[in-house]
Each structure stands twice: as C-alpha cells, then as structure tokens.
Amino acid sequence: MEFAEFIDALDRDGRLLADAAEQAGPDAQVPTCPEWRVRDLLAHIGMVHRWAARNVSEKRTEFTPPQPGQEPGDADLTPWFRDGHRALVKALTEADPQVPYFTLLPAPSPLAFWARRQAHETAIHRVDAESALGKDLSPVGPALAADGLDELLAGFHSRDRSQVRTEEPRTLRLRATDAEVVWTVRLSDGVPRAEADDAGDADCELSGSVEELYLTLWNRLPLAGLRATGDLALAELWRERSRL
C-alpha cells in the first residue's frame, strides 16, 4: 500500500470508530476485548493516537513512553478521541518524510511505519467499537487486510517477544480464498518464521477471505469462521498465545 492509502484508511476508520463508540455509549461492553468497556477502548486508542502524533510532529528519534490517564470524563470522551484522531491525521499528512523517526518495526521508511501502524491500530479498534454497538462490521478492504497480515506475521511475530512457540517444529499455513495471499508460519521453540509462500507441507491450514484471516489472526473473529484442515490444536495455540 502507498503512504496516502494508509492515511485514508486511518482517517476513515477513526471516524467510524468514533461514530460507533458514540452510539454504543461509554459503559457498553466490548465483546472482542471482554475486559474493556467503550470508555477503556477510547482511552486506549486516544492515548495511542496522541503518542503517535507527538512522535511525528516533534520529530522524535528515540523512544518515549505513552502517557495514559489523560482522558476526560465520559461526557467529553468521544470528542477528545476525535480531536486526537484529527491531530494524528494532520501530523502524518504534514510530516517530513526525511526525518529518522523512532520506529518499532521494519518499514519502507520511518514515516511509513507510523502511517501503517496507526492505520492498523485504528482498523482493529474500530472493529472493537462496532462490536460494542452490535452492528455489522464495516469492511476492512482486501489491500489493508493483506498488508495487516504482513505486519502481524513478518513484523510483530518475528520478534523475540512473540509467545507463539511449540516444543516440536510445526507449520501453520494461512491461505486467502479471494486474493493471492498465502503465508507459511514455521513454529518451534524459537521465534516464528513467516514466509509469503506455500512451500512444503503444513500441519494445519486455515483459509478464508483475506479480511477474515486478518481479523481472526488479530483475535477479532472466531476461528470457527475459517475453513480449517489438519491439526486444529495448532490454530488454537495461535488463539491462546498470539495476543500482543
């Protein structure tokens, strides 16, 4: 995806998130994150947006932690979120692409990292807000979903912090039914190795639309929505250990 496409996705999903949260109300439970109410969701994503905007607008090249606990009371929570979301979109749109911003994951450029990460952060939490409202989920879009699988598998779960481990080497395959997207994830007692191919045999294969794969691997849709073959315990292991 191009930089501008990430900004468009971020802008769209932030607006949808705010609309759904406003309709659901701050006390509504978030089924996709059962420990959260909508107020917790807004506090979290509002904090993350402000943190990301500061990193970009202040041209930070070293890690500084987010600042939780800055959100207002319930009556002002959704407007507070909207303000932070608009500020992030503005900061990314106006940012200098040559600055060596601090990043967490590999990306084509430091600025591309922030646009990509915030687009996916917002898309996933938009799903949370819509689940709290109990409405049908707005579509993610195949390009964003495919990119999100890449970020999740080749980014987050390529780090030492990934807890998706097996005592013996096992292989999980993920295959999109509506796009040329396939991943082979080789699991062991070390860091998972994900490759965008279907080489070799797999102990378990999960297939579905690229959007279904994206949301299921982010634990926002149930595994039952995918077609599964082989050792289903491997799919359950992902569900149990992949939370970031």
Side-chain angles (χ1 to χ4, degrees), residues 18 22 45 70 81 95 100 107 117 119 122 127 154 171 189 210 229:
E22 193 167 54
I45 189 64
Q70 305 299 309
F81 166 79
R117 175 82 290 276
T122 307
V127 169
T171 302
D189 60 359
V210 66
T229 58

mmCIF file with all atom_site columns, all heavy atoms in Angstrom, residues 18 22 45 70 81 95 100 107 117 119 122 127 154 171 189 210 229:
data_model
loop_
_atom_site.group_PDB
_atom_site.id
_atom_site.type_symbol
_atom_site.label_atom_id
_atom_site.label_alt_id
_atom_site.label_comp_id
_atom_site.label_asym_id
_atom_site.label_entity_id
_atom_site.label_seq_id
_atom_site.pdbx_PDB_ins_code
_atom_site.Cartn_x
_atom_site.Cartn_y
_atom_site.Cartn_z
_atom_site.occupancy
_atom_site.B_iso_or_equiv
_atom_site.pdbx_formal_charge
_atom_site.auth_seq_id
_atom_site.auth_comp_id
_atom_site.auth_asym_id
_atom_site.auth_atom_id
_atom_site.pdbx_PDB_model_num
ATOM 1   N N   . ALA A 1 18  ? -15.252 6.416   16.144 1.00 0.00 ? 18  ALA A N   1
ATOM 2   C CA  . ALA A 1 18  ? -15.886 7.424   16.988 1.00 0.00 ? 18  ALA A CA  1
ATOM 3   C C   . ALA A 1 18  ? -17.409 7.360   16.885 1.00 0.00 ? 18  ALA A C   1
ATOM 4   O O   . ALA A 1 18  ? -18.116 7.462   17.898 1.00 0.00 ? 18  ALA A O   1
ATOM 5   C CB  . ALA A 1 18  ? -15.385 8.811   16.597 1.00 0.00 ? 18  ALA A CB  1
ATOM 6   N N   . GLU A 1 22  ? -19.754 6.430   20.053 1.00 0.00 ? 22  GLU A N   1
ATOM 7   C CA  . GLU A 1 22  ? -20.734 7.422   20.495 1.00 0.00 ? 22  GLU A CA  1
ATOM 8   C C   . GLU A 1 22  ? -22.127 6.798   20.591 1.00 0.00 ? 22  GLU A C   1
ATOM 9   O O   . GLU A 1 22  ? -22.870 7.051   21.553 1.00 0.00 ? 22  GLU A O   1
ATOM 10  C CB  . GLU A 1 22  ? -20.732 8.594   19.516 1.00 0.00 ? 22  GLU A CB  1
ATOM 11  C CG  . GLU A 1 22  ? -21.474 9.820   20.006 1.00 0.00 ? 22  GLU A CG  1
ATOM 12  C CD  . GLU A 1 22  ? -21.147 11.017  19.133 1.00 0.00 ? 22  GLU A CD  1
ATOM 13  O OE1 . GLU A 1 22  ? -21.311 10.919  17.902 1.00 0.00 ? 22  GLU A OE1 1
ATOM 14  O OE2 . GLU A 1 22  ? -20.731 12.047  19.683 1.00 0.00 ? 22  GLU A OE2 1
ATOM 15  N N   . ILE A 1 45  ? -7.099  4.026   22.660 1.00 0.00 ? 45  ILE A N   1
ATOM 16  C CA  . ILE A 1 45  ? -6.766  4.443   21.309 1.00 0.00 ? 45  ILE A CA  1
ATOM 17  C C   . ILE A 1 45  ? -6.534  5.953   21.245 1.00 0.00 ? 45  ILE A C   1
ATOM 18  O O   . ILE A 1 45  ? -5.697  6.434   20.472 1.00 0.00 ? 45  ILE A O   1
ATOM 19  C CB  . ILE A 1 45  ? -7.853  3.988   20.306 1.00 0.00 ? 45  ILE A CB  1
ATOM 20  C CG1 . ILE A 1 45  ? -7.423  4.227   18.857 1.00 0.00 ? 45  ILE A CG1 1
ATOM 21  C CG2 . ILE A 1 45  ? -9.190  4.621   20.595 1.00 0.00 ? 45  ILE A CG2 1
ATOM 22  C CD1 . ILE A 1 45  ? -6.235  3.425   18.420 1.00 0.00 ? 45  ILE A CD1 1
ATOM 23  N N   . GLN A 1 70  ? -4.792  10.422  30.701 1.00 0.00 ? 70  GLN A N   1
ATOM 24  C CA  . GLN A 1 70  ? -5.046  11.819  30.326 1.00 0.00 ? 70  GLN A CA  1
ATOM 25  C C   . GLN A 1 70  ? -6.463  12.042  29.789 1.00 0.00 ? 70  GLN A C   1
ATOM 26  O O   . GLN A 1 70  ? -6.830  13.171  29.475 1.00 0.00 ? 70  GLN A O   1
ATOM 27  C CB  . GLN A 1 70  ? -4.035  12.255  29.253 1.00 0.00 ? 70  GLN A CB  1
ATOM 28  C CG  . GLN A 1 70  ? -2.580  12.072  29.646 1.00 0.00 ? 70  GLN A CG  1
ATOM 29  C CD  . GLN A 1 70  ? -2.204  12.871  30.873 1.00 0.00 ? 70  GLN A CD  1
ATOM 30  O OE1 . GLN A 1 70  ? -2.471  14.071  30.935 1.00 0.00 ? 70  GLN A OE1 1
ATOM 31  N NE2 . GLN A 1 70  ? -1.591  12.217  31.853 1.00 0.00 ? 70  GLN A NE2 1
ATOM 32  N N   . PHE A 1 81  ? -11.430 11.903  21.815 1.00 0.00 ? 81  PHE A N   1
ATOM 33  C CA  . PHE A 1 81  ? -10.868 10.962  20.846 1.00 0.00 ? 81  PHE A CA  1
ATOM 34  C C   . PHE A 1 81  ? -10.827 11.575  19.454 1.00 0.00 ? 81  PHE A C   1
ATOM 35  O O   . PHE A 1 81  ? -9.817  11.475  18.742 1.00 0.00 ? 81  PHE A O   1
ATOM 36  C CB  . PHE A 1 81  ? -11.669 9.660   20.808 1.00 0.00 ? 81  PHE A CB  1
ATOM 37  C CG  . PHE A 1 81  ? -11.329 8.825   19.605 1.00 0.00 ? 81  PHE A CG  1
ATOM 38  C CD1 . PHE A 1 81  ? -10.178 8.063   19.588 1.00 0.00 ? 81  PHE A CD1 1
ATOM 39  C CD2 . PHE A 1 81  ? -12.133 8.869   18.465 1.00 0.00 ? 81  PHE A CD2 1
ATOM 40  C CE1 . PHE A 1 81  ? -9.829  7.333   18.456 1.00 0.00 ? 81  PHE A CE1 1
ATOM 41  C CE2 . PHE A 1 81  ? -11.783 8.143   17.340 1.00 0.00 ? 81  PHE A CE2 1
ATOM 42  C CZ  . PHE A 1 81  ? -10.632 7.374   17.334 1.00 0.00 ? 81  PHE A CZ  1
ATOM 43  N N   . ALA A 1 95  ? 3.964   15.650  7.740  1.00 0.00 ? 95  ALA A N   1
ATOM 44  C CA  . ALA A 1 95  ? 5.278   15.255  8.254  1.00 0.00 ? 95  ALA A CA  1
ATOM 45  C C   . ALA A 1 95  ? 6.356   15.295  7.177  1.00 0.00 ? 95  ALA A C   1
ATOM 46  O O   . ALA A 1 95  ? 6.091   15.122  5.983  1.00 0.00 ? 95  ALA A O   1
ATOM 47  C CB  . ALA A 1 95  ? 5.190   13.862  8.848  1.00 0.00 ? 95  ALA A CB  1
ATOM 48  N N   . PRO A 1 100 ? 14.453  10.738  10.559 1.00 0.00 ? 100 PRO A N   1
ATOM 49  C CA  . PRO A 1 100 ? 14.643  9.356   11.029 1.00 0.00 ? 100 PRO A CA  1
ATOM 50  C C   . PRO A 1 100 ? 13.858  9.087   12.308 1.00 0.00 ? 100 PRO A C   1
ATOM 51  O O   . PRO A 1 100 ? 14.417  8.845   13.377 1.00 0.00 ? 100 PRO A O   1
ATOM 52  C CB  . PRO A 1 100 ? 16.154  9.266   11.261 1.00 0.00 ? 100 PRO A CB  1
ATOM 53  C CG  . PRO A 1 100 ? 16.550  10.648  11.656 1.00 0.00 ? 100 PRO A CG  1
ATOM 54  C CD  . PRO A 1 100 ? 15.649  11.571  10.843 1.00 0.00 ? 100 PRO A CD  1
ATOM 55  N N   . ALA A 1 107 ? 10.026  -1.098  8.118  1.00 0.00 ? 107 ALA A N   1
ATOM 56  C CA  . ALA A 1 107 ? 9.092   -0.448  7.196  1.00 0.00 ? 107 ALA A CA  1
ATOM 57  C C   . ALA A 1 107 ? 9.905   0.196   6.081  1.00 0.00 ? 107 ALA A C   1
ATOM 58  O O   . ALA A 1 107 ? 11.122  0.376   6.224  1.00 0.00 ? 107 ALA A O   1
ATOM 59  C CB  . ALA A 1 107 ? 8.251   0.603   7.927  1.00 0.00 ? 107 ALA A CB  1
ATOM 60  N N   . ARG A 1 117 ? 1.303   1.572   10.977 1.00 0.00 ? 117 ARG A N   1
ATOM 61  C CA  . ARG A 1 117 ? 0.963   1.056   12.305 1.00 0.00 ? 117 ARG A CA  1
ATOM 62  C C   . ARG A 1 117 ? -0.320  1.682   12.826 1.00 0.00 ? 117 ARG A C   1
ATOM 63  O O   . ARG A 1 117 ? -1.172  1.015   13.395 1.00 0.00 ? 117 ARG A O   1
ATOM 64  C CB  . ARG A 1 117 ? 2.125   1.333   13.268 1.00 0.00 ? 117 ARG A CB  1
ATOM 65  C CG  . ARG A 1 117 ? 1.846   0.936   14.728 1.00 0.00 ? 117 ARG A CG  1
ATOM 66  C CD  . ARG A 1 117 ? 2.075   -0.552  14.955 1.00 0.00 ? 117 ARG A CD  1
ATOM 67  N NE  . ARG A 1 117 ? 1.107   -1.418  14.323 1.00 0.00 ? 117 ARG A NE  1
ATOM 68  C CZ  . ARG A 1 117 ? -0.092  -1.743  14.833 1.00 0.00 ? 117 ARG A CZ  1
ATOM 69  N NH1 . ARG A 1 117 ? -0.461  -1.252  16.008 1.00 0.00 ? 117 ARG A NH1 1
ATOM 70  N NH2 . ARG A 1 117 ? -0.890  -2.550  14.205 1.00 0.00 ? 117 ARG A NH2 1
ATOM 71  N N   . ALA A 1 119 ? -2.734  3.025   11.012 1.00 0.00 ? 119 ALA A N   1
ATOM 72  C CA  . ALA A 1 119 ? -3.876  2.570   10.206 1.00 0.00 ? 119 ALA A CA  1
ATOM 73  C C   . ALA A 1 119 ? -4.389  1.239   10.737 1.00 0.00 ? 119 ALA A C   1
ATOM 74  O O   . ALA A 1 119 ? -5.605  1.040   10.885 1.00 0.00 ? 119 ALA A O   1
ATOM 75  C CB  . ALA A 1 119 ? -3.465  2.446   8.740  1.00 0.00 ? 119 ALA A CB  1
ATOM 76  N N   . THR A 1 122 ? -5.940  1.480   14.322 1.00 0.00 ? 122 THR A N   1
ATOM 77  C CA  . THR A 1 122 ? -7.266  2.081   14.285 1.00 0.00 ? 122 THR A CA  1
ATOM 78  C C   . THR A 1 122 ? -8.281  1.144   13.654 1.00 0.00 ? 122 THR A C   1
ATOM 79  O O   . THR A 1 122 ? -9.438  1.060   14.115 1.00 0.00 ? 122 THR A O   1
ATOM 80  C CB  . THR A 1 122 ? -7.204  3.418   13.531 1.00 0.00 ? 122 THR A CB  1
ATOM 81  O OG1 . THR A 1 122 ? -6.178  4.240   14.117 1.00 0.00 ? 122 THR A OG1 1
ATOM 82  C CG2 . THR A 1 122 ? -8.532  4.159   13.614 1.00 0.00 ? 122 THR A CG2 1
ATOM 83  N N   . VAL A 1 127 ? -13.108 -2.127  14.768 1.00 0.00 ? 127 VAL A N   1
ATOM 84  C CA  . VAL A 1 127 ? -13.867 -3.369  14.880 1.00 0.00 ? 127 VAL A CA  1
ATOM 85  C C   . VAL A 1 127 ? -14.360 -3.554  16.313 1.00 0.00 ? 127 VAL A C   1
ATOM 86  O O   . VAL A 1 127 ? -15.502 -3.963  16.548 1.00 0.00 ? 127 VAL A O   1
ATOM 87  C CB  . VAL A 1 127 ? -13.008 -4.566  14.422 1.00 0.00 ? 127 VAL A CB  1
ATOM 88  C CG1 . VAL A 1 127 ? -13.680 -5.894  14.773 1.00 0.00 ? 127 VAL A CG1 1
ATOM 89  C CG2 . VAL A 1 127 ? -12.755 -4.481  12.923 1.00 0.00 ? 127 VAL A CG2 1
ATOM 90  N N   . ALA A 1 154 ? 5.174   -10.964 9.698  1.00 0.00 ? 154 ALA A N   1
ATOM 91  C CA  . ALA A 1 154 ? 6.573   -10.677 9.421  1.00 0.00 ? 154 ALA A CA  1
ATOM 92  C C   . ALA A 1 154 ? 7.122   -9.567  10.308 1.00 0.00 ? 154 ALA A C   1
ATOM 93  O O   . ALA A 1 154 ? 8.331   -9.339  10.332 1.00 0.00 ? 154 ALA A O   1
ATOM 94  C CB  . ALA A 1 154 ? 6.746   -10.299 7.949  1.00 0.00 ? 154 ALA A CB  1
ATOM 95  N N   . THR A 1 171 ? 4.083   -26.451 11.452 1.00 0.00 ? 171 THR A N   1
ATOM 96  C CA  . THR A 1 171 ? 3.882   -25.484 10.375 1.00 0.00 ? 171 THR A CA  1
ATOM 97  C C   . THR A 1 171 ? 2.399   -25.142 10.250 1.00 0.00 ? 171 THR A C   1
ATOM 98  O O   . THR A 1 171 ? 1.547   -26.024 10.130 1.00 0.00 ? 171 THR A O   1
ATOM 99  C CB  . THR A 1 171 ? 4.392   -26.032 9.030  1.00 0.00 ? 171 THR A CB  1
ATOM 100 O OG1 . THR A 1 171 ? 5.778   -26.354 9.156  1.00 0.00 ? 171 THR A OG1 1
ATOM 101 C CG2 . THR A 1 171 ? 4.224   -24.995 7.928  1.00 0.00 ? 171 THR A CG2 1
ATOM 102 N N   . ASP A 1 189 ? 10.462  -23.798 19.185 1.00 0.00 ? 189 ASP A N   1
ATOM 103 C CA  . ASP A 1 189 ? 10.669  -23.183 20.490 1.00 0.00 ? 189 ASP A CA  1
ATOM 104 C C   . ASP A 1 189 ? 11.399  -21.853 20.369 1.00 0.00 ? 189 ASP A C   1
ATOM 105 O O   . ASP A 1 189 ? 11.741  -21.229 21.376 1.00 0.00 ? 189 ASP A O   1
ATOM 106 C CB  . ASP A 1 189 ? 11.428  -24.135 21.427 1.00 0.00 ? 189 ASP A CB  1
ATOM 107 C CG  . ASP A 1 189 ? 12.795  -24.521 20.881 1.00 0.00 ? 189 ASP A CG  1
ATOM 108 O OD1 . ASP A 1 189 ? 13.165  -24.072 19.767 1.00 0.00 ? 189 ASP A OD1 1
ATOM 109 O OD2 . ASP A 1 189 ? 13.512  -25.277 21.567 1.00 0.00 ? 189 ASP A OD2 1
ATOM 110 N N   . VAL A 1 210 ? -9.295  -12.746 2.787  1.00 0.00 ? 210 VAL A N   1
ATOM 111 C CA  . VAL A 1 210 ? -8.139  -12.093 3.391  1.00 0.00 ? 210 VAL A CA  1
ATOM 112 C C   . VAL A 1 210 ? -8.573  -11.249 4.588  1.00 0.00 ? 210 VAL A C   1
ATOM 113 O O   . VAL A 1 210 ? -7.854  -11.151 5.592  1.00 0.00 ? 210 VAL A O   1
ATOM 114 C CB  . VAL A 1 210 ? -7.375  -11.265 2.330  1.00 0.00 ? 210 VAL A CB  1
ATOM 115 C CG1 . VAL A 1 210 ? -8.197  -10.087 1.830  1.00 0.00 ? 210 VAL A CG1 1
ATOM 116 C CG2 . VAL A 1 210 ? -6.028  -10.796 2.886  1.00 0.00 ? 210 VAL A CG2 1
ATOM 117 N N   . THR A 1 229 ? -8.099  -27.281 8.177  1.00 0.00 ? 229 THR A N   1
ATOM 118 C CA  . THR A 1 229 ? -7.752  -28.674 7.917  1.00 0.00 ? 229 THR A CA  1
ATOM 119 C C   . THR A 1 229 ? -6.480  -29.004 8.686  1.00 0.00 ? 229 THR A C   1
ATOM 120 O O   . THR A 1 229 ? -5.654  -28.126 8.978  1.00 0.00 ? 229 THR A O   1
ATOM 121 C CB  . THR A 1 229 ? -7.515  -28.935 6.419  1.00 0.00 ? 229 THR A CB  1
ATOM 122 O OG1 . THR A 1 229 ? -6.465  -28.078 5.943  1.00 0.00 ? 229 THR A OG1 1
ATOM 123 C CG2 . THR A 1 229 ? -8.775  -28.676 5.616  1.00 0.00 ? 229 THR A CG2 1
#
